[in-house]
Amino acid sequence: MSDQAEPRGRRSGGREGRRAARLHAVAERVPFITRTMAPFEVLSEEGLALIEHNADVILEQVGVEFRDADALATLKDAGAEVDGELVRFPRGMARALVQATAPREFTQHARNPANDVRIGGDATVFAPAYGPPFVRDLDQGRRYGTIEDFRNFVKLTYASPWLHHSGGTVCEPVDLPVNKRHLDMVEAHLRCSDKPFMGSVTHPDRARDTVEMARIVFGAERLERDCVILSLINANSPLVWDATMLGAARVYAEANQATLMTPFILAGAMSPATVAGTAAQTLAEALAGMAYVQLVRPGAPVVFGSFASSMSMQSGAPTFGTPEPALVLYTLAACARRLGVPFRSGGALTAAKVADAQAAYESANTMQPTMLSGVNFVLHVAGWLEGGLCMGYEKFVLDNDQAGAWHAFAKGVDLSPNGQALDAIIANGPGQHFLGSAHTLANFETAFWRSQLADANSFEQWELEGSRDATQRANALWKKTLADYQPPPIDDAVDQELREWIERRKASFPDSNV
């Protein structure tokens, strides 16, 4: 562990320092992944058409509850059948509204233009985990998150070459009043990072505060023209959009900012216990939400979101990394492409309580279909533990390391002359190793992805260097990353205006824990 005495004979800074320097030299920081491979499909044209047909049946015959008066009036004016809070969509109405005006892809602009991300098409954007009230590390164990933890995870994300997006509620800072903590969270994203970020959605007023803070930093005219905020709007499955989420969605849509319209489903409890049933219900819920956003402001960026997990039919607990949610993910990614909107899903999901073998294989089993299916925006790439209840420091850097591997995988097969290496094979001849060939010498630094955390040394070398397991190495790495952190520059006048606005806003209403 980090507070252990240094093993006898260990050379401080030597081998580890050289390895870190090499890794830094070859870590290609890109604002987002551009995929080179065709998405993997699990359903035929006929199968996808059937899922779409069933979603239309759900929208037309069952309907979706919209628990918001403004939303009900908007949908009724557009031609939907409204009965109390239940909205039924004539066949094809929701799809037509989305396809008519929702952009196929869009750019979310960052405070630093070099970090702008493209959402949709062949682009994939990685963001950290979202929403955990607890945090965990090897030193202090599991505890409630604080604003210091929140800022730490924003800084770790900012420092990563593999995470493109600052995320949103990277952990819940429970040491701050519920009704004011969003101000500190958005401020942390804007000040501790210059990557794109997500806004508050826990109350429409908090969404408005996010927009106002973005106006200070980016300028009012810029917000009208460009997307600078992306926010997570979850359905209350099955088949309900509640007033809080709809109110926040309306605020962001009116400001021309992007929303992830995402059904959150534990299959077997919040949807049928089948892949096809879950996929059809998810599509219906997402279509209803995206159609509403397009009615609020035609052309406002929307992302078709899906979060579907299985559950233990014995205990009712959510399970992750299982085959069925992967099949739902593949199916809905294809539905999003057919619909013509970006798709959000995936992440390094696990029910494990610590960064152990279960966490590793469940996370890998979710990230693989995420990448193969062509997900455009990937939430929960780093840090997720306990089914989303906990943000792990060691899990974060382990996941971040694997995000680098997915970057390498997404490049696909290099078929350039150098990639084919035919001249090298011809020159080398049978029975001769390639270690000293000119081709190997020219490529050895970039030929293979290198883990920053995995140990491939001999047993003797590993023992000499402290016999540390992966979580102990990760513990040292996140601490070093935070110690080395340097904040991105921000204009002094903008910074002062932002601070003064936050102070005035906090002083304008009393603290509350609701």
Side-chain angles (χ1 to χ4, degrees), residues 169-417:
T169 307
V170 289
C171 70
E172 194 72 42
V174 300
D175 56 332
L176 299 178
V178 169
N179 64 335
K180 294 182 180 178
R181 63 180 62 157
H182 65 286
L183 298 167
D184 296 87
M185 291 191 283
V186 174
E187 180 188 22
H189 283 301
L190 289 169
R191 182 173 284 113
C192 299
S193 174
D194 59 10
K195 292 182 178 182
F197 73 102
M198 301 175 75
S200 178
V201 297
T202 53
H203 191 282
D205 287 344
R206 296 166 198 170
R208 292 186 187 93
D209 287 343
T210 304
V211 171
E212 288 305 313
M213 293 171 73
R215 284 197 175 108
I216 292 170
V217 172
F218 291 90
E221 292 183 5
R222 182 78 185 278
L223 252 70
E224 183 64 24
R225 182 179 73 249
D226 293 333
C227 171
V228 303
I229 308 169
L230 176 69
S231 298
L232 177 61
I233 308 295
N234 281 131
N236 191 355
S237 303
L239 299 171
V240 173
W241 287 98
D242 66 35
T244 297
M245 292 289 103
L246 291 170
R250 175 180 283 273
V251 168
Y252 287 120
E254 288 174 341
N256 198 34
Q257 301 305 300
T259 50
L260 299 158
M261 305 304 289
T262 304
F264 187 100
I265 290 177
L266 303 182
M270 300 154 73
S271 74
T274 63
V275 170
T278 299
Q281 181 185 312
T282 301
L283 178 56
E285 292 178 5
L287 276 170
M290 290 187 291
Y292 169 64
V293 168
Q294 293 309 297
L295 289 171
V296 171
R297 179 163 179 162
V302 289
V303 179
F304 176 174
S306 168
F307 185 98
S309 78
S310 52
M311 63 180 290
S312 168
M313 302 308 286
Q314 288 72 44
S315 68
T319 53
F320 300 93
T322 53
E324 296 80 13
L327 292 170
V328 172
L329 194 159
Y330 282 120
T331 299
L332 293 175
C335 289
R337 286 190 292 274
R338 288 159 64 92
L339 184 61
V341 292
F343 183 62
R344 169 257 155 157
S345 193
L349 310 180
T350 180
K353 313 307 178 284
V354 296
D356 59 7
Q358 178 186 342
Y361 67 69
E362 289 180 351
S363 295
N365 285 349
T366 310
M367 283 299 293
Q368 184 176 57
T370 295
M371 295 305 295
L372 292 180
S373 68
V375 173
N376 300 115
F377 187 83
V378 189
L379 202 53
H380 314 307
V381 169
W384 173 288
L385 286 170
E386 283 188 58
L389 288 175
C390 190
M391 187 71 154
Y393 278 86
E394 288 77 28
K395 177 66 157 48
F396 184 98
V397 293
L398 288 162
D399 288 337
N400 179 60
D401 188 59
Q402 289 302 293
W406 287 115
H407 276 69
F409 178 82
K411 292 179 180 178
V413 179
D414 176 11
L415 292 178
S416 69

Side-chain angles (χ1 to χ4, degrees), residues 7-216:
R8 184 177 298 173
R10 183 175 177 181
R11 292 171 296 175
S12 176
R15 187 185 192 98
E16 291 291 324
R18 290 192 298 274
R19 181 171 69 169
R22 289 195 303 270
L23 287 165
H24 180 74
V26 301
E28 180 190 356
R29 181 183 290 270
V30 294
F32 52 86
I33 292 172
T34 301
R35 301 187 309 277
T36 61
M37 293 171 280
F40 184 76
E41 302 272 4
V42 299
L43 283 182
S44 65
E45 166 73 26
E46 292 76 15
L48 291 170
L50 180 61
I51 298 296
E52 291 169 342
H53 167 80
N54 291 348
D56 278 341
V57 170
I58 294 168
L59 289 170
E60 184 178 35
Q61 296 185 17
V62 182
V64 178
E65 286 191 11
F66 282 76
R67 298 176 179 175
D68 178 83
D70 288 339
L72 292 168
T74 298
L75 290 162
K76 185 175 182 179
D77 289 345
E81 178 188 332
V82 177
D83 181 9
E85 292 183 330
L86 183 66
V87 178
R88 294 187 177 91
F89 293 81
R91 180 169 295 273
M93 174 187 170
R95 177 175 295 273
L97 286 169
V98 174
Q99 291 182 320
T101 57
R104 297 188 70 88
E105 60 182 68
F106 62 93
T107 296
Q108 184 185 357
H109 295 266
R111 191 159 66 78
N112 178 358
N115 292 326
D116 292 353
V117 295
R118 180 161 54 87
I119 299 177
D122 60 1
T124 293
V125 175
F126 283 171
Y130 183 111
F134 298 101
V135 299
R136 168 182 285 278
D137 63 57
L138 282 181
D139 304 292
Q140 301 181 65
R142 182 181 187 265
R143 63 191 188 282
Y144 280 108
T146 66
I147 191 60
E148 180 183 4
D149 292 308
F150 188 98
R151 292 175 182 137
N152 282 346
F153 283 114
V154 172
K155 293 173 183 178
L156 290 171
T157 302
Y158 169 68
S160 168
W162 316 124
L163 298 175
H164 317 108
H165 200 283
S166 194
T169 307
V170 289
C171 70
E172 194 72 42
V174 300
D175 56 332
L176 299 178
V178 169
N179 64 335
K180 294 182 180 178
R181 63 180 62 157
H182 65 286
L183 298 167
D184 296 87
M185 291 191 283
V186 174
E187 180 188 22
H189 283 301
L190 289 169
R191 182 173 284 113
C192 299
S193 174
D194 59 10
K195 292 182 178 182
F197 73 102
M198 301 175 75
S200 178
V201 297
T202 53
H203 191 282
D205 287 344
R206 296 166 198 170
R208 292 186 187 93
D209 287 343
T210 304
V211 171
E212 288 305 313
M213 293 171 73
R215 284 197 175 108
I216 292 170

